[in-house]
Amino acid sequence: MRDRIIGPTRAIIAEYDEGGSNRQVWNDAALFASARLLGDQASAERAVFGPSGIVSQLSTGLLDDGTWYEGENYHLFAHRGLWYGITLAERAGLEIPAPLLARFAEGFATPFLTALPDFTLPSRRDSQYAISLRQPRFAESCELGLGRDPGPGDPRLLSALARLYEPDVPPG
């Protein structure tokens, strides 16, 4: 498995460094996980601390308010990839700077800050019209954010989650 699948796959992913990109976030998580599985500590650290690694993505891809620089369409995708990368790095004992973790934590709430009264996202740039926040992926993001919070929980996430799980939401 390691020699025939993980190693060659890691080599292919490593050939396509996409710099500051929502796709590179996922590449970083995959490169980190595969390096750990293969016992390659230097490559694992490069996936976190390298020029386009997880810390770089947190520094340049996430804006100060926790939003992904490419806009709402890419925020949740990039943020979920960052969740994997950060979680794996933390479990491996690698320390991510606290200000970047705070920026990352803010990213769990940002999709809800501009929600319209019908709980849809505003249409911006190349996004679809009336994207509902009542989707499992948004609930999952709230739950992941709350799971990382050692305190009583971000009230914005708690409120959004309560709204997402309201039982009387009409179909559609």
Side-chain angles (χ1 to χ4, degrees):
M1 183 72 148
R2 292 170 196 246
D3 294 337
R4 295 183 66 212
I5 296 174
I6 296 170
T9 301
R10 178 175 77 144
I12 291 169
I13 294 168
E15 288 178 18
Y16 296 97
D17 188 324
E18 298 189 57
S21 156
N22 62 79
R23 294 177 307 273
Q24 185 60 36
V25 168
W26 285 88
N27 290 349
D28 291 334
L31 290 168
F32 181 80
S34 60
R36 294 281 294 167
L37 285 169
L38 298 174
D40 183 351
Q41 186 64 22
S43 292
E45 289 181 12
R46 190 169 41 257
V48 175
F49 301 112
S52 59
I54 294 163
V55 169
S56 175
Q57 301 294 342
L58 289 166
S59 299
T60 60
L62 276 185
L63 304 177
D64 289 338
D65 65 358
T67 58
W68 185 253
Y69 83 98
E70 291 175 296
E72 289 98 341
N73 278 359
Y74 304 100
H75 175 79
L76 210 60
F77 179 74
H79 201 260
R80 181 56 188 261
L82 286 170
W83 179 86
Y84 279 111
I86 289 168
T87 301
L88 290 167
E90 289 174 334
R91 297 299 186 272
L94 299 179
E95 191 171 326
I96 308 288
L100 297 179
L101 290 177
R103 186 183 296 186
F104 171 69
E106 199 57 31
F108 288 105
T110 57
F112 304 102
L113 299 181
T114 59
L116 299 173
D118 64 353
F119 220 46
T120 61
L121 290 174
S123 297
R124 294 189 185 113
R125 299 182 191 180
D126 61 348
S127 65
Q128 280 182 279
Y129 173 73
I131 296 172
S132 176
L133 288 162
R134 287 188 169 97
Q135 297 180 48
R137 64 188 177 132
F138 290 103
E140 180 183 58
S141 180
C142 280
E143 291 169 356
L144 292 173
L146 290 168
R148 289 188 59 82
D149 188 344
D154 184 327
R156 298 169 301 174
L157 295 179
L158 292 169
S159 176
L161 201 55
R163 186 139 185 219
L164 287 164
Y165 285 136
E166 285 176 341
D168 59 344
V169 176

